[in-house]
Amino acid sequence: KKLINNDSEKKWNNTYVSSFYSLKQQCSWNDANPDGSHVYALSHMPTHMLRAKRIKECCTLLRNEFFIRGRIYSMGFQEAVDQHVSDVEALYEEMLNATVQLDLDEPNDVMQHSYEKLVDAIKRGKKLHDLSNGVDFDESDHSSAAATTHENRRCTGLLAGTLFHRLAYSLAQKIIGHRPLVFTDPLKI
């Protein structure tokens, strides 16, 4: 029974991913005004890809700067980074536990590259926050999403530091030993 359920789940998720891409191929991931299905996909597409065993596509998506920006625009920095880290960690585990040989980059490289793209987006948000004139537009980015003022695209220094810590902790947890780090209380030393 479990095998039937797993196969059904894989097929359902595969159908969702295929359907979304065929219906939304004209949409950009970082569209200024995404519809409800687009917002849902920004949040849940990597999970559907992993459940459909579309690992290679999930690797590509989680390293796509437009997808990362779309998540930030849609969810805000904190929620987008939390979701992205969760998805990258799930992909990392899926790649480590793959029962078949995958023709992909190493899991550590996928994680690092995805986080580098995320760091670039955080830095961009911090730069936009620091602009004193309140204009939310980066001249190097001519997408409709960048031209629209939106608070989700700005990142304070404190929030940027918190997000960088989240990424560093995730890297340390997965790449340095696959176990949670234990910090010693400095008052007990």
Side-chain angles (χ1 to χ4, degrees):
K1 183 176 177 170
K2 186 174 181 174
L3 182 61
I4 293 171
N5 286 342
N6 286 344
D7 190 49
S8 296
E9 179 183 19
K10 181 180 175 183
K11 286 179 181 177
W12 185 92
N13 283 285
N14 190 48
T15 300
Y16 170 77
V17 172
S18 297
S19 297
F20 180 83
Y21 277 116
S22 68
L23 294 173
K24 300 290 184 174
Q25 56 191 339
Q26 284 82 19
C27 293
S28 170
W29 279 117
N30 63 337
D31 194 6
N33 296 308
D35 62 19
S37 66
H38 200 92
V39 170
Y40 177 86
L42 285 164
S43 183
H44 301 290
M45 184 61 77
T47 301
H48 288 291
M49 287 178 163
L50 290 175
R51 290 180 179 167
K53 302 299 183 204
R54 293 171 78 159
I55 308 302
K56 190 170 189 168
E57 289 172 273
C58 191
C59 285
T60 301
L61 183 66
L62 289 172
R63 295 184 286 182
N64 181 311
E65 67 183 278
F66 298 110
F67 179 75
I68 292 168
R69 276 194 223 162
R71 280 185 146 180
I72 291 168
Y73 296 168
S74 174
M75 301 177 201
F77 276 93
Q78 184 72 56
E79 187 179 343
V81 168
D82 287 344
Q83 183 65 51
H84 205 76
V85 167
S86 177
D87 290 336
V88 170
E89 288 178 348
L91 172 63
Y92 181 88
E93 292 298 325
E94 188 72 31
M95 292 174 75
L96 285 180
N97 298 323
T99 56
V100 295
Q101 183 65 29
L102 301 171
D103 184 28
L104 300 170
D105 294 336
E106 289 296 315
N108 292 356
D109 295 336
V110 171
M111 179 179 255
Q112 183 176 342
H113 189 247
S114 178
Y115 287 179
E116 286 170 357
K117 296 285 186 178
L118 201 49
V119 164
D120 290 343
I122 293 167
K123 287 179 179 177
R124 186 172 179 270
K126 172 70 173 89
K127 180 180 174 185
L128 289 173
H129 176 76
D130 291 344
L131 293 175
S132 60
N133 63 6
V135 175
D136 188 20
F137 181 71
D138 181 1
E139 292 182 47
S140 67
D141 185 349
H142 300 293
S143 70
S144 61
T148 307
T149 302
H150 198 287
E151 280 303 310
N152 281 353
R153 298 184 188 143
R154 296 190 181 140
C155 184
T156 65
L158 179 61
L159 179 57
T162 301
L163 299 175
F164 290 146
H165 178 268
R166 174 78 168 100
L167 296 175
Y169 185 77
S170 174
L171 283 169
Q173 222 179 358
K174 296 297 178 186
I175 293 177
I176 306 173
H178 301 114
R179 62 188 177 284
L181 297 175
V182 178
F183 294 98
T184 306
D185 185 349
L187 299 176
K188 292 183 179 179
I189 295 178

